[in-house]
Amino acid sequence: MKPDPSHNPPLAPATLHILLALAAEDLHGYGIIQEISRQSHGHYKLGPGTLYDNLKRLMDHRLVIDAPKSSLSEDETRRLYRLTAQGRTVLSAEIDRLHNVVREARQTLNEKRPRRV
């Protein structure tokens, strides 16, 4: 029986951003940092230590793997990372969870009227 990703605890911000960065294409470490900065409009900055610690953990959980080297690659010394199908499932479940949190928050804000002091 496969684990149900919808019952996983919320992802840490660094984990979420790394998985999002890898959702569209295979990237090397610096490419992941650049993509996270682009996606967050520069509001979320990830240092190399945090990045590589998280990548190791994600690889241990088989959410991210080494991408095969391409013969067309300009820089063969850079290690490329790829989101796995399981990683995509976990990311999708987290996006659904966050969507529900935002929906509930909006509903709560719309229902509550500010108190008059």
Side-chain angles (χ1 to χ4, degrees), residues 53-65:
D53 286 348
N54 276 275
L55 280 171
K56 180 182 180 338
R57 190 176 43 76
L58 291 169
M59 293 177 79
D60 289 346
H61 287 95
R62 301 193 192 317
L63 302 180
V64 172
I65 59 171

Side-chain angles (χ1 to χ4, degrees), residues 12-55:
T15 300
L16 172 63
H17 283 283
I18 292 167
L19 295 179
L20 279 171
L22 292 172
E25 64 180 315
D26 300 347
L27 294 169
H28 52 75
Y30 184 63
I32 294 170
I33 290 172
Q34 289 179 311
E35 181 60 13
I36 289 170
S37 180
R38 186 195 69 73
Q39 287 180 355
S40 70
H41 304 282
H43 295 288
Y44 191 82
K45 302 213 185 285
L46 192 65
T50 302
L51 171 67
Y52 290 107
D53 286 348
N54 276 275
L55 280 171

Side-chain angles (χ1 to χ4, degrees), residues 1 5 28 35-36 42 47 55 67 79 86 93 97 104 108 111:
M1 183 169 162
H28 52 75
E35 181 60 13
I36 289 170
L55 280 171
R79 182 177 186 180
Q86 182 180 354
R97 186 193 70 77
E104 284 290 323
T108 300
E111 290 174 359

Side-chain angles (χ1 to χ4, degrees), residues 41-104:
H41 304 282
H43 295 288
Y44 191 82
K45 302 213 185 285
L46 192 65
T50 302
L51 171 67
Y52 290 107
D53 286 348
N54 276 275
L55 280 171
K56 180 182 180 338
R57 190 176 43 76
L58 291 169
M59 293 177 79
D60 289 346
H61 287 95
R62 301 193 192 317
L63 302 180
V64 172
I65 59 171
D66 283 316
K69 296 279 185 186
S70 167
S71 60
L72 303 175
S73 178
E74 296 172 7
D75 188 354
E76 290 294 322
T77 62
R78 289 190 173 179
R79 182 177 186 180
L80 292 176
Y81 300 93
R82 174 175 291 170
L83 187 64
T84 65
Q86 182 180 354
R88 193 168 296 279
T89 299
V90 167
L91 176 59
S92 180
E94 179 68 357
I95 291 168
D96 290 345
R97 186 193 70 77
L98 290 169
H99 175 75
N100 290 333
V101 168
V102 170
R103 187 182 70 240
E104 284 290 323

